[in-house]
Amino acid sequence: MPHYTELNIGPVHPSIHGIFNFKLILNEEIIQDVKVTLGFLHRNAEKLSELNLYADNIIFFDRMNYIDAMNMELCYLMSVEKITGIEPPERAQWIRMIMVELNRLAARLVGMGSLGLDLGMLTPFFHAFKEREKIQRIFTEASGGRQEVNYFSIGGVYQDFTEKIINDIRNFIDQFKKNLEDMYNMFIHSEIFWQRNQGIGIIEPELAFDYGVTGPAIRASGIPYDVRKDAPYLFYDKVNFDIPISHQKDNFGRFMIKVEEMRQSIRIIEQSLDKINDGPFFNPQGKKSLMLRIKGNGEAFSRVESDAGEFGVYVKGDNTTKPYRVHARSPGLRNLSLLPVISKGLMIADFIAVVGGLDPVVGEVDR
Amino acid sequence: MVATIKEIKIPKKPIPIIGSLETMYNVGRFMFKKPITTQYPEEKGEIPERFRFRIFLSPESCIGCTLCEQICPNHSIKMEVWEVEKEQGLVVETKRGARENLQNKRHIYPDVNFGTCTVCRNCEEICPTNAIYLTHQFEDARTRNSFTYSPQELARQEDDVIK
Amino acid sequence: MNLLFKLHQWFSFLGNYASYGIAYLIETIVVLAFVAISFIILIYVFRKYMARIQLRIGPNRVGKFGLLQLIADALKLMGKESILPKGRDDMAYKIAPIITMMSIMVSFIIIPYGGLYYFGNLTTTHSDITLILIFGILSIMPIGEVLGGISTRSNYAILGTLRGIAKDVSFEVPMLISVLAIVMVSSRSFVTGGSTYNSLSLAGIVTNEIIPYGIIEPLGLIVFFISMIARASYSPFDLSESDSELISGSTTEYGGMRFGLFYIGLFGMVYLGSFLVSLLYLGGYNGPVSSYFGFIFLLIKVIILVLIAFLIWLSLPRMRIDRFVQFGWKYLLPLAVINLIYAGFFVLYIR
Ligand code: SF4
Ligand code: SF4
């Protein structure tokens, strides 16, 4: 007759990314069952969006996946632009694409650094955040906001790119390539890092389909599913980049995918910087002084590849200035719901590593 | 020009001990790099030009149109009656001299609650007369119950606002 | 001439026994003061070192270059309300940090420090079996951790303690076997080829250690160094603490100065481990030139080892507990035994 121990991980715990609660049922150190409790950070974002103007809701989406704010804004705006019929001009699209990829880099850096911290490596975290701070400096130059940027607006972007910003991005990219490899080397040469990640948290492809897992998690299971390739938005069909996949299925594969995607993001940014053209940066129909009058009719769903996976937003308008219904499909929720299945038989230390590898952001899981 | 699918190369597994030594070298060589910290109160880093925080109001140009109240996503702005000309010591300069602001017939001015303001800059964008605007100033820590700035306080510099 | 006899001579007007007593007392106090001051410097150096590797500045507000930061921290810890968990085992809870701290402090009195120019030999304990003494005292230290963990009845603390016990069991056997190899090698003199005395005392081992034993038996050095990391329980092997999994492991429920004692115990063990490695394997206070400055040579070796230890702490991830137990029994133990056999052959033939 085994003896079970209950151990609470969270809501407040050093290695939980945000606030949620796992109740681990343990037999000695082996996990028998996991009970996930969500909802500690529920902020009513979907309902609030129904009560506010189309242009105002951007800030609620900023705060969903707060480390990947640009992608959240972009997804919402793509839906809104479909139902209001305000198309962004070409330059705005390129600007959006650069910003989104920069933010993907920033979000991946957070995930990488905190994975190191979860495993007990103290140093890579600070190097990752040093780089992230440079990205946020660029965001501040462009939009005035550091993390919750509120940069995109309906039919374009809020402020134009200046020559200085483009130079800043180029300089950043130039030095980032080297720093990324430095950080990567801090992880990959250590055999303990391999031990801690290889064969841990295996997601079989069928399981991934069943649970609707997306993002690096599904690509590490060998399925080349990426919204940027399968349903290109912005100008993702005009640039060259690779979708990395791996058949490792485990936490290590996820880490490798994330690092490789950062390299691909750099490629995308470089190509976009070369291709960006002159022209208007917003559609006059959506200019800021008309914010109070933008009306939407019909319904639309759009999706983007965010940091954790496929993020989708559904918006329905009833010909008023406020949306009738807004719904967000969060990838983090799907990835988290898989946890009880894949973590049976793992040890506590592995469990922490798996949660760190899936990097859920609670703002988006709970909305 | 479409995305191509690429199977990633898994690097060679490190040799025990040697791998750890390599990691130690990779980490330890940052020992002599310059630190990146900014010692905040003494040295303030350069603030980007578009950075925005503290909201100011120029009462002489506000026309009381309440657009900023309507656009604010968090309902941080409330309109408040402020009889400027009756207040002592605060003279409103308009083009026609120091006198009542004729444009603002109802004498209503915005009152901002910084506790809920998310610095989205919508109010600045929509204001037809640029009466409400955000500035670089960001050092305005307050205690819990004193986040609300009345129009009088919005028009003053931070040091003059007594809380 | 050593310091003890010098002190004894100064106090000789008190009679033989009283002057010996006072001389011992004064020397012990001097050694403990040296150890306390070096703890403060050690923690300061660790924080600065960690900061510089992580591209930060580190403590620089209290005092010049933040030198007084640690004293400020200690005052803060003392001023804190000490929160006692409900349902604790009171006696065990309160005595645990003291046990950990005391065992570290006592071990420092046993270590031979070598000579320093005018003062002569600084060693306090003149015994023939200091090697056995010091490992005996070191095995008291885990008792503090175990008591502290189990007495609080917190799940995190109990899991941390169990990990700690599993860790201790799996590395102490290889550690002692590698020490045994040292005793074997040092029981024959390099010079005369005859058997030596005092091979069970640290001072005797260092005297016989004309070539550092780390060169003669590198395997033993590796095993012993890894064991010392595990004993001090920092990063690759900080299993009883595991801050990202079990909050703070066996010390989860401790606060205030009681936690401070555990914290100082951790750094003390890093320091003590470096002393032991340099005494047993790196020649101790033997240096390339005269032995007048033996203490300085010892300190230099210790400082280098401490810096290496900190670098390991900062760069490697934590091992999983089952991996560590496997590592201990499947790799460390065979390595230690191979080293022992090799030492036997060395003593018999190669010398
Ligand atoms: S900047 Fe603040 S006050 Fe102005 S609209 Fe945005 S939230 Fe409201
Ligand atoms: S501040 Fe501007 S938007 Fe607000 S009431 Fe005055 S004029 Fe209108």
Side-chain angles (χ1 to χ4, degrees):
Chain A
M1 174 76 192
H3 178 74
Y4 291 117
T5 319
E6 270 188 18
L7 193 75
N8 271 310
I9 305 272
V12 183
H13 187 275
S15 64
I16 289 294
H17 308 195
I19 30 177
F20 36 70
N21 170 280
F22 300 116
K23 188 173 276 177
L24 307 183
I25 312 289
L26 299 170
N27 179 8
E28 285 154 14
E29 283 234 1
I30 314 288
I31 294 172
Q32 304 292 329
D33 200 5
V34 184
K35 295 197 171 68
V36 188
T37 313
L38 298 173
F40 291 92
L41 204 61
H42 180 59
R43 289 158 305 178
N44 255 330
E46 289 175 1
K47 180 67 189 168
L48 273 176
S49 308
E50 291 167 19
L51 304 177
N52 272 299
L53 302 171
Y54 279 109
D56 282 349
N57 290 338
I58 301 171
I59 66 156
F60 302 125
F61 281 84
D62 266 342
R63 280 155 185 77
M64 278 196 185
N65 190 342
Y66 34 80
I67 58 172
D68 199 6
M70 292 280 186
N71 265 314
M72 304 290 119
E73 282 179 19
L74 173 70
C75 191
Y76 169 72
L77 285 175
M78 274 159 54
S79 284
V80 169
E81 278 156 11
K82 272 181 208 161
I83 65 170
T84 53
I86 302 172
E87 282 297 315
E90 201 175 332
R91 182 176 169 86
Q93 302 260 41
W94 283 117
I95 292 177
R96 283 181 178 188
M97 197 147 135
I98 293 168
M99 284 315 219
V100 160
E101 287 303 322
L102 275 178
N103 210 329
R104 194 186 313 282
L105 283 180
R108 290 265 189 271
L109 282 171
V110 176
M112 196 168 161
S114 53
L115 176 68
L117 217 53
D118 288 349
L119 297 178
M121 305 168 102
L122 301 173
T123 310
F125 182 77
F126 290 89
H127 290 264
F129 268 63
K130 175 194 81 179
E131 295 302 315
R132 179 170 180 257
E133 198 55 51
K134 289 177 191 160
I135 297 178
Q136 287 179 329
R137 176 91 195 174
I138 294 170
F139 287 172
T140 318
E141 292 277 359
S143 74
R146 197 174 142 274
Q147 180 168 298
E148 270 76 29
V149 280
N150 193 19
Y151 183 53
F152 301 159
S153 67
I154 299 175
V157 293
Y158 175 62
Q159 279 158 316
D160 198 6
F161 262 18
T162 57
E163 209 48 48
K164 178 169 187 298
I165 295 169
I166 292 181
N167 277 341
D168 279 357
I169 297 175
R170 276 193 209 281
N171 293 341
F172 168 74
I173 291 293
D174 284 346
Q175 53 91 42
F176 181 68
K177 282 179 198 159
K178 189 176 150 292
N179 290 348
L180 176 63
E181 296 309 318
D182 281 350
M183 258 180 281
Y184 171 70
N185 283 339
M186 283 184 199
F187 286 98
I188 210 71
H189 284 303
S190 158
E191 72 273 9
I192 305 177
F193 179 77
W194 283 64
Q195 276 180 15
R196 287 295 301 274
N197 284 297
Q198 262 198 328
I200 305 296
I202 291 187
I203 303 179
E204 294 295 337
E206 302 83 50
L207 201 66
F209 277 131
D210 287 353
Y211 280 81
V213 174
T214 45
I218 201 172
R219 288 193 286 278
S221 295
I223 299 165
Y225 176 71
D226 188 316
V227 184
R228 288 177 295 174
K229 171 184 78 77
D230 291 333
Y233 51 98
L234 294 182
F235 289 142
Y236 278 113
D237 45 358
K238 293 195 185 171
V239 290
N240 282 324
F241 64 104
D242 297 340
I243 308 288
I245 63 161
S246 145
H247 292 286
Q248 299 253 314
K249 301 177 195 163
D250 55 3
N251 222 15
F252 188 76
R254 273 165 242 155
F255 175 78
M256 294 299 295
I257 295 268
K258 282 180 203 162
V259 174
E260 184 58 36
E261 280 185 4
M262 281 160 83
R263 298 190 186 117
Q264 299 304 328
S265 290
I266 294 174
R267 273 179 72 192
I268 297 176
I269 294 171
E270 279 178 338
Q271 293 173 42
S272 310
L273 281 176
D274 293 337
K275 289 188 177 170
I276 188 168
N277 56 342
D278 284 337
F281 61 95
F282 65 94
N283 187 331
Q285 279 173 298
K287 69 173 186 259
K288 280 267 175 174
S289 50
L290 292 177
M291 274 188 294
L292 279 168
R293 272 185 256 152
I294 293 171
K295 285 190 180 123
N297 197 6
E299 54 186 340
F301 179 77
S302 53
R303 52 199 182 141
V304 299
E305 182 72 27
S306 86
D307 156 47
E310 177 187 335
F311 182 80
V313 173
Y314 168 80
V315 180
K316 182 171 164 61
D318 54 355
N319 215 2
T320 57
T321 55
K322 292 172 183 172
Y324 177 74
R325 174 81 173 100
V326 175
H327 176 72
R329 179 223 190 262
S330 89
L333 181 64
R334 270 76 180 172
N335 295 357
L336 266 186
S337 59
L338 191 64
L339 261 184
V341 187
I342 59 172
S343 57
K344 282 216 178 64
L346 296 181
M347 306 188 76
I348 307 174
D350 298 337
F351 179 75
I352 299 290
V354 170
V355 177
L358 287 175
D359 40 49
V361 177
V362 187
E364 157 216 69
V365 173
D366 287 345
R367 302 193 286 281
Chain B
M1 288 236 249
V2 274
T4 48
I5 293 156
K6 194 181 87 179
E7 167 111 29
I8 47 173
K9 282 203 303 285
I10 297 299
K12 260 216 332 282
K13 200 165 176 167
I15 312 155
I17 310 275
I18 308 285
S20 289
L21 290 178
E22 271 178 67
T23 313
M24 278 161 65
Y25 167 73
N26 283 334
V27 171
R29 68 203 176 87
F30 287 94
M31 177 76 200
F32 302 107
K33 292 268 160 70
K34 239 177 104 204
I36 47 159
T37 319
T38 314
Q39 294 283 304
Y40 164 61
E42 290 95 33
E43 44 176 282
K44 295 180 182 162
E46 167 213 355
I47 298 173
E49 195 206 326
R50 287 176 184 174
F51 175 80
R52 290 284 180 274
F53 191 68
R54 161 80 149 86
I55 299 179
F56 276 94
L57 176 76
S58 32
E60 62 271 23
S61 40
C62 176
I63 54 173
C65 65
T66 76
L67 280 179
C68 51
E69 185 190 13
Q70 291 171 44
I71 195 69
C72 178
N74 308 301
H75 310 290
S76 304
I77 298 184
K78 297 268 173 303
M79 302 311 284
E80 203 174 73
V81 177
W82 176 25
E83 309 270 352
V84 184
E85 69 280 7
K86 287 185 187 161
E87 286 216 1
Q88 290 191 339
L90 214 167
V91 184
V92 177
E93 294 283 342
T94 61
K95 283 184 193 134
R96 298 167 207 172
R99 51 183 290 181
E100 183 188 350
N101 183 352
L102 287 175
Q103 295 164 326
N104 199 339
K105 289 274 167 36
R106 290 183 288 171
H107 307 292
I108 51 175
Y109 295 89
D111 155 311
V112 178
N113 181 357
F114 270 94
T116 56
C117 169
T118 53
V119 207
C120 68
R121 307 173 296 272
N122 277 355
C123 47
E124 180 185 29
E125 281 292 308
I126 201 143
C127 180
T129 59
N130 289 338
I132 192 164
Y133 56 95
L134 287 85
T135 56
H136 278 185
Q137 195 174 333
F138 63 96
E139 289 158 320
D140 46 359
R142 288 273 171 266
T143 51
R144 194 176 303 150
N145 296 326
S146 51
F147 282 124
T148 313
Y149 281 58
S150 67
Q152 293 95 314
E153 286 160 348
L154 281 180
R156 283 184 211 149
Q157 280 301 321
E158 190 60 28
D159 294 341
D160 305 334
V161 182
I162 296 137
K163 284 279 178 183
Chain C
M1 194 67 172
N2 76 43
L3 184 59
L4 192 69
F5 291 125
K6 271 199 181 128
L7 288 169
H8 169 56
Q9 276 176 1
W10 292 347
F11 291 105
S12 55
F13 58 88
L14 290 171
N16 193 21
Y17 289 109
S19 60
Y20 257 127
I22 288 186
Y24 264 121
L25 197 66
I26 290 180
E27 201 175 356
T28 309
I29 289 171
V30 168
V31 168
L32 287 187
F34 160 73
V35 169
I37 291 171
S38 38
F39 280 1
I40 292 178
I41 296 173
L42 197 68
I43 299 181
Y44 174 77
V45 166
F46 172 66
R47 294 176 64 167
K48 273 286 186 198
Y49 188 60
M50 173 156 99
R52 291 311 303 273
I53 281 182
Q54 297 170 349
L55 307 173
R56 298 183 283 122
I57 294 176
N60 68 344
R61 293 281 150 155
V62 190
K64 194 90 183 146
F65 306 119
L67 278 168
L68 301 179
Q69 181 68 44
L70 197 84
I71 294 163
D73 282 353
L75 285 177
K76 181 202 77 178
L77 282 179
M78 279 181 221
K80 274 197 165 174
E81 180 195 1
S82 92
I83 300 168
L84 303 171
K86 218 173 169 185
R88 70 190 179 277
D89 188 339
D90 196 60
M91 176 79 176
Y93 178 81
K94 285 182 178 154
I95 214 171
I98 300 172
I99 292 179
T100 311
M101 193 63 203
M102 286 308 288
S103 64
I104 290 281
M105 281 308 199
V106 172
S107 336
F108 273 105
I109 300 171
I110 297 173
I111 283 187
Y113 289 103
L116 186 62
Y117 187 58
Y118 168 75
F119 301 99
N121 197 342
L122 300 173
T123 314
T124 316
T125 311
H126 300 271
S127 161
D128 284 347
I129 51 156
T130 39
L131 191 70
I132 296 177
L133 257 184
I134 203 156
F135 285 101
I137 289 170
L138 273 187
S139 57
I140 295 177
M141 204 186 137
I143 296 177
E145 271 174 29
V146 170
L147 279 185
I150 299 231
S151 64
T152 55
R153 308 242 165 105
S154 149
N155 272 354
Y156 299 111
I158 290 177
L159 276 171
T161 314
L162 293 179
R163 284 184 180 191
I165 295 170
K167 179 194 73 180
D168 289 346
V169 169
S170 46
F171 80 83
E172 291 221 330
V173 178
M175 174 176 87
L176 288 177
I177 291 178
S178 64
V179 172
L180 192 61
I182 288 283
V183 175
M184 276 165 60
V185 174
S186 80
S187 64
R188 284 255 190 138
S189 164
F190 284 128
V191 189
T192 61
S195 61
T196 57
Y197 307 101
N198 287 346
S199 64
L200 274 184
S201 92
L202 286 169
I205 290 176
V206 177
T207 316
N208 299 336
E209 200 174 359
I210 296 163
I211 309 166
Y213 292 153
I215 297 174
I216 296 173
E217 37 182 83
L219 275 182
L221 175 62
I222 292 171
V223 171
F224 193 76
F225 192 69
I226 290 175
S227 308
M228 278 297 131
I229 298 174
R231 161 53 63 239
S233 63
Y234 53 87
S235 190
F237 310 134
D238 54 347
L239 296 158
S240 58
E241 193 192 324
S242 339
D243 53 351
S244 68
E245 294 144 31
L246 300 175
I247 319 264
S248 185
S250 53
T251 54
T252 304
E253 301 290 332
Y254 280 92
M257 205 52 211
R258 291 206 176 89
F259 174 75
L261 289 182
F262 276 120
Y263 188 70
I264 295 172
L266 167 64
F267 279 92
M269 196 54 230
V270 177
Y271 198 40
L272 184 67
S274 308
F275 265 112
L276 285 180
V277 171
S278 56
L279 283 174
L280 293 180
Y281 286 94
L282 301 181
Y285 42 78
N286 297 334
V289 277
S290 81
S291 63
Y292 252 174
F293 298 102
F295 181 61
I296 307 286
F297 293 136
L298 183 64
L299 263 192
I300 290 172
K301 287 170 189 170
V302 166
I303 288 169
I304 291 172
L305 281 175
V306 164
L307 290 183
I308 292 174
F310 285 162
L311 192 53
I312 292 174
W313 187 342
L314 291 172
S315 50
L316 297 185
R318 183 181 312 113
M319 264 179 129
R320 217 169 64 195
I321 178 67
D322 59 331
R323 295 277 186 176
F324 180 75
V325 174
Q326 274 186 18
F327 174 68
W329 292 107
K330 285 192 187 161
Y331 299 97
L332 279 191
L333 186 62
L335 274 185
V337 172
I338 290 171
N339 183 42
L340 186 70
I341 297 168
Y342 163 73
F345 278 112
F346 182 81
V347 171
L348 281 181
Y349 301 112
I350 300 173
R351 186 205 72 243

